[in-house]
Amino acid sequence: MSEAPSLHSRRSITLRFDIPISKTHEFWELLKNGKFVTTRCTKCGNVSFPPQADCPKCMSGEFQWVELGRDATLVTFTHVRTVPASFAGIEPYIICIGEVEGGTKVLAWLEGVKPEDARPGMKLRVESRTSAEGNPYYVFVRA
Ligand SMILES: [Zn+2]
């Protein structure tokens, strides 16, 4: 069976993401300074993560910042072996859900842990990082 006739082209593309953070910029500023916070709706009390300017439960736009702390417990994880095109050049990685004190679940990369060593229930800690573009982000590491 022969391959269908086709034209091939290989070009690099640059993906640009502009994520509006006008109402939640404080989260990123605090993260840079070592604090890990999120939003709590002042109308219904719902705690959201990532921070939400508008409550996903009652749609109120009124919220307050609450400290999450940095200690967490690994709930589940997956080892991403086939890296998406937007992460080309990055080694396979682990992405996980960690539960912080109070029950809020946080999705983040898990750094410094081999897939065979990751276990639900293991103690984690949130750490902040700065991307090559200068953007703050957060990861889990083993506690
Ligand atoms: Zn609410």
Side-chain angles (χ1 to χ4, degrees):
M1 190 169 173
S2 66
E3 191 174 313
S6 60
L7 299 173
H8 299 280
S9 176
R10 290 184 188 269
R11 291 175 276 175
S12 296
I13 61 169
T14 299
L15 299 175
R16 179 181 167 146
F17 299 94
D18 293 316
I19 302 168
I21 59 167
S22 58
K23 289 185 175 178
T24 58
H25 73 278
E26 193 169 343
F27 169 78
W28 302 103
E29 292 302 318
L30 290 169
L31 183 64
K32 281 185 206 171
N33 295 316
K35 290 200 173 181
F36 196 58
V37 300
T38 197
T39 51
R40 178 190 302 145
C41 174
T42 54
K43 186 175 176 190
C44 77
N46 180 53
V47 175
S48 298
F49 192 88
Q52 300 289 318
D54 298 304
C55 178
K57 284 197 173 173
C58 76
M59 301 309 293
S60 169
E62 302 297 318
F63 63 87
Q64 64 184 148
W65 293 101
V66 292
E67 182 103 31
L68 288 176
R70 292 181 168 268
D71 297 327
T73 302
L74 180 60
V75 175
T76 189
F77 68 96
T78 189
H79 184 209
V80 180
R81 294 173 193 233
T82 304
V83 179
S86 58
F87 291 127
I90 293 176
E91 294 294 314
Y93 55 89
I94 296 175
I95 191 150
C96 75
I97 294 174
E99 185 175 315
V100 297
E101 199 173 324
T104 301
K105 293 184 175 65
V106 174
L107 177 71
W109 288 31
L110 176 58
E111 280 188 0
V113 177
K114 294 177 184 170
E116 59 270 25
D117 295 337
R119 297 279 182 278
M122 74 187 295
K123 297 302 176 194
L124 305 175
R125 188 177 68 247
V126 175
E127 289 193 353
S128 57
R129 300 278 188 270
T130 303
S131 72
E133 297 89 4
N135 295 320
Y137 66 100
Y138 47 90
V139 299
F140 282 116
V141 298
R142 188 193 302 253

